[in-house]
Amino acid sequence: MSDFSIEQINDQPCLASLVERLTLVAVMAVDLETIEWWNRERERIALVQIAYRSASEIKVAVIDSLALEKLEPLRQSFENQSTLKVIHNAAFDAVRLQAHYQLQVAPVHDTMVAARLNQEKKYSLQAQAAAHLGLHLEKGAQRSDWSRRPLTPHQLHYAALDAAATLRLYEHQQRRNLFGNYRLRGTAAVKEQARLPLIDNSRSQTSVPQKKVPEPPPELLPSQPTSLIENNSLPSTDQPLQKPEISGAELALLGIIAELPNRYGPEQLIVSVGASQRVGLAGWIIDHTLGRETEFEEETAKLAIADLCERRLVAVTPTGRLEATGARADL
């Protein structure tokens, strides 16, 4: 897909000009690239991508939020009730915009929610773009260092493509009369909303039933018992774990990290849980916890890993790898 143009926004005058143009836009797609998303204390938004149509052409503004002193001018566009914001998995992006910049993004059409309400089994942006747009979204730049400047042309194209694809997917869903209304809850609920489980929780607050993972076949079992925690740099808890509410997605990821310690970094784990990448013990755990047909959406996996880290069930080692902490033994 190359039928769109890219504009880099890295200073306040350019941002002001973009906001002025967006006042004439009825629909715009929004996507983010984040840094250290697994650590909610250190997480930063590196890029904000906005795709919109000018006449018949799709334009994508890639806003360098690390270069700009403030994004306050975007409030006019993001909170304008006359402009529909289209986001794929708003539980991640809209919540991040609220948490970092206090932007109350509304109204929102969530293309992932629309796909789920239509009972589609594969709902990631990559799967939806392939199925309905005939578009292959290459995910090679997914593990890019979004803090590095200048951005490479490949990074810029990758970031812009996701936003453009989201806009085109919305237009396709509109022609199919699909609805994906999403409403951002108040500031007090941001933390809870950031911990949404794999299933669509934007319409229901029912807890996710836990599944007991059956014993894996002998050929997939580790040859030696896995040590829960041996690195003194990892955090531990002095209090027993009090029956935490854990989603099926979190349980599956925790199982992978516990059985394959120091194997994956946060970004690598996200790539490995994609439906086309699930092999070996990690794939077996995902399939038997969530089902073979279940697909991880990128932002959903990020939310689950970040939540495990925040609750100190999982830690990132000094070498950037994921390890389960002693607290997971109670699970």
Side-chain angles (χ1 to χ4, degrees):
M1 177 181 176
S2 58
D3 58 339
F4 61 89
S5 59
I6 303 174
E7 177 187 13
Q8 284 188 263
I9 307 293
N10 52 21
D11 59 45
Q12 296 299 148
C14 287
L15 182 61
S17 175
L18 172 65
V19 170
E20 184 177 356
R21 280 175 277 143
L22 290 177
T23 59
L24 304 176
V25 171
V27 179
M28 66 183 198
V30 180
D31 188 41
L32 305 178
E33 301 300 338
T34 54
I35 300 170
E36 293 191 82
W37 47 263
W38 55 88
N39 186 327
R40 291 194 174 117
E41 298 298 322
R42 298 169 58 180
E43 178 189 62
R44 289 182 296 162
I45 295 176
L47 299 176
V48 179
Q49 303 96 267
I50 298 177
Y52 61 97
R53 283 197 180 271
S54 178
S56 60
E57 181 185 0
I58 295 179
K59 296 181 179 293
V60 183
V62 179
I63 302 169
D64 188 347
S65 51
L66 297 183
L68 295 170
E69 293 182 3
K70 57 181 180 179
L71 296 186
E72 182 61 26
L74 285 176
R75 185 177 304 278
Q76 178 180 340
S77 302
F78 283 156
E79 298 185 359
N80 182 0
Q81 295 295 311
S82 298
T83 303
L84 179 67
K85 274 64 69 174
V86 180
I87 304 176
H88 194 84
N89 198 347
F92 186 89
D93 293 46
V95 171
R96 306 261 99 52
L97 288 168
Q98 184 183 42
H100 288 277
Y101 301 114
Q102 294 74 55
L103 297 175
Q104 306 293 321
V105 184
V108 173
H109 174 97
D110 190 327
T111 48
M112 187 178 77
V113 169
R116 282 176 165 170
L117 292 178
N118 196 45
Q119 299 182 339
E120 298 185 40
K121 292 182 179 180
K122 295 186 177 182
Y123 47 79
S124 70
L125 181 59
Q126 188 176 25
Q128 287 285 299
H132 301 296
L133 306 177
L135 176 63
H136 172 68
L137 296 182
E138 187 269 321
K139 289 296 180 180
Q142 188 178 47
R143 288 181 283 174
S144 288
D145 180 2
W146 295 107
S147 66
R148 188 179 65 179
R149 295 295 182 272
L151 296 169
T152 67
H154 183 61
Q155 285 179 306
L156 283 171
H157 185 266
Y158 169 87
L161 181 57
D162 274 7
T166 300
L167 180 61
R168 285 189 54 192
L169 180 60
Y170 162 75
E171 294 169 345
H172 188 273
Q173 290 181 343
Q174 285 295 100
R175 292 193 291 270
R176 297 159 62 204
N177 295 316
L178 301 186
F179 297 92
N181 296 335
Y182 175 91
R183 185 175 182 180
L184 185 65
R185 295 198 289 274
T187 303
V190 170
K191 185 175 180 180
E192 286 303 312
Q193 193 166 17
R195 292 167 56 173
L196 291 180
L198 185 66
I199 65 168
D200 176 22
N201 205 22
S202 61
R203 303 172 65 88
S204 171
Q205 292 302 309
T206 306
S207 60
V208 183
Q210 299 183 26
K211 292 184 179 181
K212 182 178 180 181
V213 183
E215 290 297 321
E219 63 270 20
L220 293 181
L221 285 171
S223 58
Q224 297 293 332
T226 300
S227 173
L228 297 181
I229 177 169
E230 294 180 356
N231 190 329
N232 291 331
S233 65
L234 294 178
S236 60
T237 177
D238 296 328
Q239 300 297 326
L241 200 61
Q242 299 298 321
K243 297 181 180 179
E245 294 181 2
I246 186 167
S247 71
E250 292 170 346
L251 183 63
L253 291 169
L254 179 60
I256 293 173
I257 296 167
E259 294 300 332
L260 300 171
N262 211 36
R263 170 76 64 86
Y264 298 106
E267 298 284 5
Q268 293 171 318
L269 182 56
I270 286 180
V271 174
S272 72
V273 298
S276 62
Q277 303 291 329
R278 299 209 294 253
V279 296
L281 180 58
W284 186 91
I285 291 173
I286 294 288
D287 291 344
H288 283 74
T289 307
L290 302 173
R292 294 182 183 276
E293 299 300 319
T294 300
E295 182 183 38
F296 263 109
E297 207 279 330
E298 178 182 338
E299 278 72 23
T300 301
K302 286 182 177 180
L303 290 174
I305 294 171
D307 193 50
L308 290 172
C309 290
E310 185 177 43
R311 288 193 277 170
R312 304 181 73 175
L313 296 173
V314 165
V316 180
T317 70
T319 59
R321 301 289 175 163
L322 291 165
E323 291 271 13
T325 67
R328 60 81 54 179
D330 291 337
L331 295 177

